[in-house]
Amino acid sequence: MFMKNRLKNILKSEKRININSALNNIAVIYFIPDSNLNKYNNWKDGFTRAINILSEDFNITWINLFDVKPSSDELNQFDFLIVKSCWDWIVDNYVRSLKNLKVYKGIMVSCSKIPNNKQSMFFYDIVWYETYWYGKQISEHPNLVHAFGVNASDFGFQNYEKDIDVLGIGALTSHKRFHKFIDLPQEKKVIVGDVNTTDSSGIKSYLENSGIKILEYTSQEELSKLINKSKLVYIPSDVNGGGERAVLESRLCNVPIKIENDNPKLKELIASPIWDEYYYSNQIRTSIQKLFNKKESTFISNRIESSNKIKAGRNSFHNGNFIVKGDEFVSIGAFCSFGNNVSIITSNHDTNFLCSQGYLYRNYFKKNHPGEDANPPNIERTKGPVYIGNDVWIGDNVTVLSGVKIGNGASIGTGTIVTKDVGDFEVHAGIPNKKIKLRFNKDIIELIQETKWWNWSDKKIRCNEKIFHLNLNECTTEDYKNSIK
């Protein structure tokens, strides 16, 4: 997938629709040496998948600094540069060393370190970060954007025999703290990751001599299989030891995860939404387009923004006074439309104790209410996260309560209190909510679910204008199929 780049071919890639007149050609600058041959030839993870999604709308050129060192003049041919690097590392240092670099640029921070000189952050127009914990460490930059995700299409539950007691994931470096595996009581322990780091040989020998099996860097598909064959995934890394992807990948496979209490960023990801490749791509796309379009179109409402508790999909909006509160996260799909005064409440007061008020416990005992600290929480406090699918319409003055799942294409009538799940393309209303009807017949719904138009590129949406003008309650399935280009 990733061949050596030659700058004389830099702009000879296939031309695509210019979504923005000023934004078309994007370069991704990274560094992978050929000593890591597997990754050098076949780098595949959430980041590469996110960029490949963008490539459906923009000309993307991959530039591996191991192969070629572009000049300022060559890079100025692009509209935007995505720099994949840790601070003060090979890629960041090289790009910042270039004189007369006039192109817009952003850095995809690939570590948890702080720049040696925080002024170097301001060299970049956008700083993308992986966890909200880390974002607080570099809060001085005016254009910080959370952008992270794993390739969810490669991970998920598979019913394999659990023949690995404990699995570790990651390169053999000291920051991974894999020595902690030695004291675990379980018998079959396996660690999979890159064994070509500067200090890997000693770590590898030490672990193998302790009876731990070491597997070299593997494909996403094989890693998913290994996770699903494990009873536990243990990520003992310190804050500089990565592990972000491994946590989310293991959660997708529904495998228990153990981390260390001194790692706040991984603790965040244990309880966060599962950031995926579409979220990752959307965060990159939206932040770059905002940079080029200082003012968004006047015909749209307020964009639903992501936070540490909200995973917001592409082009989802609300009409005002949108409130999310509680301990659990909320996942919102793409192209959703919310009315005015929509509230999503994921936590209640726990009524199992003498006093339901949190203030009493904080004021008199200097502690949280015991319901807040219960793990897992009592059902009176919360029924869990809220999941809202794609193309969901929610009317004015609607309240959605914890644990609810609202399917793709669903519609919720004004004033509804949603206490139970809403199926795909169902119309609900009332207090509490009840099903009124389906938006379309089941055959059309099945086709829409297969189409997943909400994942289409901007280019493909524009090329398929006809299907968005069909009255789906008057057309046949053949009409629908024949309208797709």
Side-chain angles (χ1 to χ4, degrees):
M1 179 174 61
F2 300 100
M3 61 183 64
K4 290 185 177 181
N5 293 281
R6 291 294 176 262
L7 288 178
K8 64 182 181 180
N9 296 323
I10 229 165
L11 297 178
K12 291 184 179 179
S13 54
E14 176 189 356
K15 292 297 178 185
R16 307 192 186 279
I17 287 181
N18 193 346
I19 305 303
N20 256 297
S21 59
L23 176 59
N24 194 20
N25 298 300
I26 298 174
V28 178
I29 308 175
Y30 66 105
F31 179 87
I32 297 177
D34 62 5
S35 58
N36 188 347
L37 197 58
N38 193 339
K39 191 172 183 180
Y40 176 84
N41 289 324
N42 190 32
W43 178 21
K44 185 180 180 185
D45 59 16
F47 174 73
T48 62
R49 176 68 180 123
I51 298 299
N52 286 340
I53 291 170
L54 288 180
S55 71
E56 298 175 30
D57 284 322
F58 304 100
N59 297 325
I60 304 291
T61 300
W62 295 84
I63 302 175
N64 187 350
L65 291 186
F66 178 79
D67 296 324
V68 64
K69 302 292 191 296
S71 67
S72 293
D73 288 342
E74 290 165 326
L75 291 179
N76 283 334
Q77 296 179 65
F78 293 96
D79 303 312
F80 196 90
L81 306 181
I82 297 175
V83 177
K84 185 76 163 67
S85 180
C86 184
W87 297 112
D88 306 301
W89 189 59
I90 296 167
V91 187
D92 173 40
N93 286 338
Y94 179 78
V95 174
R96 285 196 289 113
S97 74
L98 295 172
K99 305 298 182 183
N100 300 315
L101 191 62
K102 300 175 182 178
V103 59
Y104 280 129
K105 49 204 166 291
I107 183 169
M108 188 69 63
V109 182
S110 305
C111 63
S112 298
K113 296 179 180 179
I114 307 301
N116 292 334
N117 180 355
K118 280 199 171 183
Q119 288 301 311
S120 63
M121 292 193 301
F122 301 100
F123 175 80
Y124 296 98
D125 301 286
I126 303 173
V127 174
W128 293 290
Y129 60 92
E130 294 182 340
T131 61
Y132 284 91
W133 170 84
Y134 180 71
K136 294 177 182 177
Q137 317 307 312
I138 53 171
S139 59
E140 296 91 338
H141 195 280
N143 198 5
L144 288 173
V145 178
H146 179 255
F148 182 57
V150 295
N151 193 3
S153 58
D154 282 335
F155 292 88
F157 173 75
Q158 295 171 289
N159 192 20
Y160 288 110
E161 180 184 353
K162 300 287 188 179
D163 59 4
I164 299 174
D165 290 329
V166 189
L167 178 69
I169 303 169
L172 298 189
T173 68
S174 58
H175 287 298
K176 297 291 186 182
R177 302 194 295 196
F178 284 133
H179 64 274
K180 290 179 176 288
F181 267 66
I182 295 171
D183 295 328
L184 294 176
Q186 291 91 337
E187 292 185 6
K188 188 169 183 180
K189 307 169 192 175
V190 177
I191 295 172
V192 57
D194 185 5
V195 298
N196 294 304
T197 60
T198 54
D199 56 349
S200 63
S201 58
I203 295 173
K204 184 173 184 288
S205 298
Y206 177 64
L207 294 172
E208 287 181 329
N209 290 337
S210 302
I212 298 169
K213 185 176 181 179
I214 307 298
L215 301 176
E216 295 196 25
Y217 179 89
T218 187
S219 68
Q220 298 272 277
E221 295 80 6
E222 185 62 27
L223 179 58
S224 177
K225 183 178 179 180
L226 287 169
I227 293 173
N228 275 284
K229 294 176 71 175
S230 303
K231 298 174 186 175
L232 174 71
V233 172
Y234 179 33
I235 311 295
S237 306
D238 62 29
V239 291
N240 292 316
E244 294 92 336
R245 284 191 292 113
V247 168
L248 295 185
E249 289 161 355
S250 301
R251 287 181 60 194
L252 281 167
C253 296
N254 200 28
V255 174
I257 306 160
K258 174 181 169 62
I259 61 170
E260 293 298 313
N261 288 329
D262 63 354
N263 195 329
K265 68 174 186 177
L266 296 190
K267 191 177 294 186
E268 172 188 313
L269 292 173
I270 290 288
S272 74
I274 297 181
W275 315 111
D276 61 16
E277 65 268 41
Y278 287 100
Y279 170 84
Y280 205 166
S281 180
N282 177 57
Q283 292 294 95
I284 299 170
R285 175 197 297 269
T286 303
S287 55
I288 295 175
Q289 288 179 331
K290 280 183 178 179
L291 190 67
F292 278 74
N293 300 326
K294 299 298 183 184
K295 293 183 179 180
E296 290 194 298
S297 302
T298 56
F299 57 81
I300 62 175
S301 307
N302 308 292
R303 187 181 297 276
I304 300 175
E305 301 286 354
S306 293
S307 70
N308 62 329
K309 290 292 185 181
I310 302 174
K311 176 186 177 183
R314 171 180 165 212
N315 293 337
S316 286
F317 302 96
H318 67 89
N319 280 339
N321 197 29
F322 174 57
I323 297 172
V324 174
K325 61 181 180 178
D327 300 333
E328 303 290 334
F329 68 78
V330 176
S331 179
I332 300 169
F335 296 97
C336 292
S337 305
F338 295 176
N340 196 25
N341 300 322
V342 172
S343 299
I344 302 176
I345 302 172
T346 67
S347 297
N348 301 308
H349 286 257
D350 192 327
T351 57
N352 286 295
F353 301 88
L354 181 61
C355 181
S356 61
Q357 183 194 79
Y359 171 80
L360 178 144
Y361 290 87
R362 290 189 296 273
N363 185 53
Y364 291 93
F365 309 128
K366 310 304 178 186
K367 294 179 180 178
N368 290 331
H369 189 285
E372 295 179 44
D373 292 335
N375 188 20
N378 295 315
I379 196 169
E380 288 84 2
R381 181 163 179 81
T382 181
K383 295 179 182 178
V386 170
Y387 294 90
I388 298 174
N390 304 284
D391 185 33
V392 171
W393 173 73
I394 297 179
D396 292 351
N397 304 310
V398 170
T399 300
V400 181
L401 300 184
S402 67
V404 164
K405 294 180 175 63
I406 299 176
N408 294 324
S411 297
I412 312 295
T414 297
T416 300
I417 297 181
V418 185
T419 64
K420 56 181 181 291
D421 291 354
V422 179
D424 294 322
F425 294 90
E426 290 182 357
V427 178
H428 280 230
I431 304 175
N433 63 298
K434 65 178 181 179
K435 179 180 174 181
I436 306 300
K437 64 176 183 177
L438 286 173
R439 279 179 62 190
F440 313 118
N441 69 56
K442 291 182 179 180
D443 291 336
I444 291 290
I445 289 172
E446 185 176 331
L447 284 175
I448 299 172
Q449 295 282 61
E450 291 175 1
T451 303
K452 293 183 179 179
W453 66 264
W454 41 81
N455 288 337
W456 286 356
S457 66
D458 288 349
K459 173 186 176 182
K460 188 167 182 178
I461 289 175
R462 285 185 170 89
C463 288
N464 280 278
E465 180 178 359
K466 182 178 179 181
I467 198 171
F468 291 96
H469 289 274
L470 284 178
N471 184 328
L472 299 185
N473 284 310
E474 294 180 357
C475 73
T476 66
T477 56
E478 290 304 312
D479 292 333
Y480 183 92
K481 292 177 182 177
N482 293 334
S483 296
I484 298 176
K485 294 181 180 179

